Amino acid sequence: RQNPRTPERSRDLAADGGALSMSHNDSRSFFNLSQLVLSAGQIKPSPALKHSKITYFEVEIVDVQSKKQICIVDKVPPASTILDVKHKFHKACPQWYPSRVGLQLERNGPFLKDSISIQSLAVSSIVTLYFTDLGQQVGWTTFFLTEYTGPLLIYLLFYIRLSTIYDQVESRKNFRHPVVHLACFCHCLHYIRHLLETLFVHKFSEGHTPLKNMIKGCAFYWGFTSWIAYYINHPRYTPPSFGHKQVSYAALAFLMCEAGNHFINVALAHQTNSGNRTCFPSPTYNPFTWLFLLVSCPNYTYEAGSWISFTVMTQTLPAGIFAFLMVIQMSLWAQKKHKLYLKRFYPEVRRKAAMIPIIF
């Protein structure tokens, strides 16, 4: 055995003790550093700067006739629509409110719809649009209410036989035929139905129509109503040639056409509200909707039938002329709608007529 207290052994132990103390200090320092990192939380890199570039458009408004620049609407976002541009244009030029402004991409092109986005029209950062003054505008609801209220009131003024229109002595002397009262009822029913459907059934677009169109429509309806009512309510009015049978059958046909017209309008309005535009309206259990099997615009068919029945019931020349003009006008409207239906519902509308089977 060697004495552990020899100088060599003492030096070895001193060296081992120094190494142990150094390793213990290193581990303790590493532990403290770990605690510091954990207490500071996760090390996050510095956030990178996002360079988001938003492109704005400049819309140049040019007069369609003089080709002179009216104004420039700047800082128009890409998501803006034509209606937004019209509002900004109205702020720059207060004399032209949005419904009066017509914007075109080309001079001879169609007017752009309010829902079209500027981004879909832009080729560069500058978009040139041509301005047309559409004149004073009115809403569609105002248009139809004014157009239909006039005939209702005008006919009643002739029905009560005002002294300024008819001779009072002759009015008291002559007896009124029952068809006069029936004609007043049917005429008022027709326009009351139109007014109620305008308020509660029809869903008009947010667009407007020029005031001159309303004046022309009122002149047509009000003028013919005055002409028709004057003869039917005249003291010398004579009843139809075939008497009671002619009046009864014509009145029954008139009421059936009015009911059919109403149910067709309700069916079309229900289709628009439900949003189901993938298929053409199909007939239901209601027999008045079965006309959808033959024509694409049965509301015009019923409307024409109402005025033809009214003409047969009263047997007056003004009513016949009015019915003839209405048939021509509605056939034109029906053919125009039929072409639109062919583009959207070709397989279902292909074999249908527009308004009258076989003829139109």
Side-chain angles (χ1 to χ4, degrees):
R1 294 182 179 178
Q2 294 180 356
N3 189 359
R5 296 191 180 210
T6 58
E8 293 81 0
R9 184 66 178 168
S10 298
R11 287 193 298 267
D12 295 338
L13 290 176
D16 292 341
L20 288 174
S21 61
M22 289 175 64
S23 63
H24 178 70
N25 292 333
D26 293 342
S27 62
R28 188 167 183 176
S29 299
F30 179 75
F31 177 76
N32 293 334
L33 179 62
S34 301
Q35 290 293 330
L36 179 63
V37 171
L38 290 176
S39 62
Q42 187 179 0
I43 299 177
K44 296 181 180 180
S46 58
L49 295 177
K50 296 182 179 180
H51 300 283
S52 58
K53 186 177 180 181
I54 301 177
T55 305
Y56 291 98
F57 295 100
E58 290 185 357
V59 180
E60 180 187 17
I61 308 296
V62 179
D63 187 77
V64 70
Q65 295 180 354
S66 63
K67 298 182 182 180
K68 293 182 179 180
Q69 183 188 95
I70 300 176
C71 71
I72 293 180
V73 181
D74 57 351
K75 293 185 179 181
V76 178
S80 298
T81 61
I82 294 294
L83 183 59
D84 298 330
V85 174
K86 288 182 179 180
H87 282 290
K88 291 186 176 182
F89 178 61
H90 173 58
K91 291 182 180 179
C93 304
Q95 66 271 25
W96 292 308
Y97 47 91
S99 62
R100 188 168 181 167
V101 176
L103 297 178
Q104 301 164 275
L105 192 60
E106 299 176 356
R107 291 189 63 192
N108 298 325
F111 291 108
L112 300 174
K113 295 182 179 180
D114 292 343
S115 58
I116 296 178
S117 63
I118 294 297
Q119 192 171 12
S120 63
L121 303 175
V123 180
S124 62
S125 60
I126 300 177
V127 181
T128 302
L129 298 178
Y130 293 93
F131 162 75
T132 301
D133 185 9
L134 300 178
Q136 191 171 357
Q137 305 286 303
V138 293
W140 285 110
T141 303
T142 305
F143 176 88
F144 287 111
L145 289 179
T146 306
E147 192 176 66
Y148 296 143
T149 304
L152 179 64
L153 300 178
I154 290 173
Y155 197 97
L156 291 176
L157 292 177
F158 283 91
Y159 176 74
I160 62 177
R161 291 183 176 178
L162 294 176
S163 58
T164 56
I165 301 175
Y166 302 111
D167 182 42
Q168 291 298 310
V169 176
E170 194 174 14
S171 299
R172 298 191 193 97
K173 181 179 178 181
N174 294 339
F175 172 74
R176 286 197 186 190
H177 195 272
V179 69
V180 176
H181 305 290
L182 183 60
C184 180
F185 170 77
C186 293
H187 192 276
C188 293
L189 177 66
H190 178 80
Y191 284 102
I192 289 174
R193 178 184 64 81
H194 273 303
L195 291 173
L196 294 178
E197 288 178 353
T198 301
L199 294 174
F200 303 108
V201 177
H202 296 302
K203 301 297 179 183
F204 302 104
S205 61
E206 297 180 355
H208 297 75
T209 184
L211 179 62
K212 60 181 181 181
N213 290 344
M214 188 180 74
I215 295 175
K216 290 190 294 185
C218 291
F220 177 78
Y221 280 98
W222 295 13
F224 265 102
T225 300
S226 302
W227 193 22
I228 294 171
Y230 175 79
Y231 280 95
I232 295 178
N233 297 286
H234 199 280
R236 297 182 183 180
Y237 170 77
T238 55
S241 303
F242 296 96
H244 181 70
K245 288 185 178 180
Q246 179 178 348
V247 174
S248 300
Y249 291 141
L252 181 61
F254 178 87
L255 295 177
M256 291 180 63
C257 289
E258 287 294 306
N261 199 344
H262 172 71
F263 288 119
I264 293 297
N265 289 331
V266 171
L268 293 174
H270 178 71
Q271 179 205 18
T272 305
N273 293 338
S274 62
N276 183 17
R277 303 190 179 192
T278 58
C279 60
F280 187 75
S282 57
T284 61
Y285 62 89
N286 189 339
F288 292 102
T289 61
W290 294 351
L291 200 57
F292 273 122
L293 297 172
L294 302 176
V295 297
S296 59
C297 302
N299 53 329
Y300 294 143
T301 307
Y302 283 123
E303 183 77 10
S306 296
W307 287 113
I308 293 174
S309 302
F310 187 83
T311 302
V312 175
M313 179 180 63
T314 58
Q315 195 173 319
T316 54
L317 181 62
I321 296 176
F322 181 73
F324 177 73
L325 295 178
M326 289 295 290
V327 170
I328 294 177
Q329 180 62 69
M330 290 183 183
S331 65
L332 296 176
W333 289 342
Q335 290 176 8
K336 185 177 179 180
K337 281 193 174 182
H338 187 70
K339 291 180 180 179
L340 295 177
Y341 288 154
L342 285 174
K343 294 179 181 179
R344 296 172 57 190
F345 317 109
Y346 175 72
E348 294 140 336
V349 190
R350 179 168 53 109
R351 297 184 178 181
K352 300 180 189 292
M355 175 177 157
I356 300 176
I358 301 175
I359 299 177
F360 295 113

